[in-house]
Amino acid sequence: MFQINRRSFLSLTGGFALASATSARAAAPNRPPMRAHEPFTFLFITDTHLQPELNAQVGCHAAFVKARGVPADFAIQGGDHVFDALGVNASRATMLLDLYKRTADDLMLPVHHTIGNHDCFGVYTKSGAEPTDPMYGKKYFEDNFGRLYYSFDHKGVHVVVLDSIGITADRSYEGRIDAPQIAWLANDLAAQPEGTPIIVVTHIPLVTAVEDYAAPPATPAKHHALSVVNAYEVLPLFDRYNVIGVFQGHTHILERIDWHGVPYITGGAVSGNWWHGTRYGTPEGFMVVNVANGAVTTRYETYGFRSVDPQNT
């Protein structure tokens, strides 16, 4: 039988630990010192899913009234403004957006908008819409809220808003950041002064464990829709910059995952479980984000909504 004494064992394991640590250091992101910025607060308000049913307008109104009482510089709407433009006709889609805009007046804050999958018109064939319709797909969002992806600066922090919706050839959707957008993102990040703190926003998460929280569906989904299928092409970009937070929507849960020093924060949903109560224990609400000293801290604010048809999960 092969035997090894304690000193040899410690020598071997110590060498393994050193090799592992060296490997880990080599793989760790090499970021520049954080550039100074002013502190501020913003609201991350996602997945409002405005509709006339289920008291959704009453709920959104209550959420926005509470939100405007929080001292904040601006709000970011994390996507899925309405429920649902994907599979309805033009008349219903127009009504939903009008309802959202009237209700959002309650917020009384500058708002930066993120496209969600439900903010794309007529993609499902059951809508009766054709791809030639002037509102089809993402044009519905663009005509009402502006650019699909963009960036802006606030008090020394650079904020990037992404379009994570990939419309598929068979008229469905998946989570995807397409190649032209990745090239734009790389150029946008490279153009910032060295050490600039950066916040990224995406509707469909880049990083999430949501698929681990329940049993898989009996029939596997045709498309990868719960997270960004090509996140592996995006995440390495963040290793070279001071990304202090990635804010995500879509799954209606509260979640934080840290990867390579970046917190990926999923911000719940104003609509909770699509106006049916709690989603995996996350109630209806929105997120307050404080940005200071090169870091983000968050708290989740609920607003007392009670579903008329509770189906808590």
Side-chain angles (χ1 to χ4, degrees):
M1 179 184 293
F2 177 75
Q3 292 184 331
I4 184 169
N5 64 36
R6 183 173 180 272
R7 179 175 294 178
S8 299
F9 174 78
L10 291 175
S11 175
L12 286 171
T13 55
F16 175 77
L18 177 61
S20 298
T22 302
S23 174
R25 283 198 297 271
N30 183 20
R31 297 185 174 98
M34 190 74 67
R35 189 180 178 92
H37 68 92
E38 296 179 61
F40 63 92
T41 298
F42 73 91
L43 307 180
F44 184 59
I45 298 175
T46 190
D47 293 86
T48 48
H49 288 282
L50 235 296
Q51 60 186 41
E53 298 81 17
L54 296 174
N55 273 352
Q57 186 177 11
V58 171
C60 273
H61 170 75
F64 291 162
V65 167
K66 181 165 186 178
R68 76 185 186 205
V70 178
D73 289 13
F74 58 86
I76 296 178
Q77 215 287 3
D80 281 357
H81 298 63
V82 301
F83 193 71
D84 159 72
L86 281 167
V88 299
N89 61 31
S91 176
R92 169 83 177 184
T94 301
M95 178 274 291
L96 290 173
L97 212 46
D98 288 345
L99 182 63
Y100 175 83
K101 288 179 175 179
R102 291 197 308 273
T103 309
D105 285 343
D106 295 335
L107 194 52
M108 300 174 67
L109 270 176
V111 181
H112 303 278
H113 296 274
T114 312
I115 187 170
N117 48 296
H118 292 288
D119 300 326
C120 299
F121 167 65
V123 173
Y124 294 164
T125 54
K126 68 179 182 179
S127 69
E130 295 295 332
T132 53
D133 190 295
M135 287 201 312
Y136 183 78
K138 298 179 183 181
K139 194 70 167 57
Y140 174 77
F141 176 91
E142 288 181 283
D143 287 349
N144 288 279
F145 300 114
R147 293 168 294 172
L148 297 173
Y149 55 90
Y150 57 95
S151 61
F152 64 93
D153 298 300
H154 187 76
K155 293 185 175 179
V157 176
H158 188 64
V159 183
V160 179
V161 179
L162 298 176
D163 166 14
S164 56
I165 315 304
I167 296 177
T168 62
D170 61 349
R171 294 185 65 170
S172 188
Y173 75 89
E174 64 180 359
R176 180 175 293 277
I177 310 292
D178 63 21
Q181 187 178 178
I182 291 174
W184 170 86
L185 176 61
N187 290 333
D188 182 77
L189 295 176
Q192 305 314 308
E194 187 176 71
T196 297
I198 294 165
I199 290 171
V200 177
V201 179
T202 173
H203 178 67
I204 296 180
L206 288 164
V207 176
T208 179
V210 68
E211 289 178 292
D212 297 328
Y213 301 148
T219 304
K222 187 174 182 181
H223 297 289
H224 192 96
L226 284 178
S227 61
V228 171
V229 67
N230 64 325
Y232 63 89
E233 295 182 303
V234 179
L235 302 189
L237 292 175
F238 300 162
D239 284 351
R240 303 198 298 273
Y241 302 98
N242 292 334
V243 178
I244 62 175
V246 177
F247 289 87
Q248 313 175 135
H250 190 56
T251 61
H252 298 218
I253 61 173
L254 278 176
E255 179 186 59
R256 172 172 171 152
I257 297 175
D258 290 286
W259 171 252
H260 282 203
V262 177
Y264 292 81
I265 300 168
T266 307
V270 170
S271 63
N273 191 27
W274 290 267
W275 301 112
H276 288 290
T278 60
R279 164 74 165 162
Y280 291 172
T282 301
E284 304 86 351
F286 60 89
M287 185 164 280
V288 179
V289 184
N290 295 308
V291 187
N293 301 315
V296 296
T297 56
T298 66
R299 73 176 189 268
Y300 192 64
E301 292 280 354
T302 57
Y303 58 91
F305 183 77
R306 295 291 180 266
S307 173
V308 298
D309 183 19
Q311 299 173 32
N312 298 328
T313 62

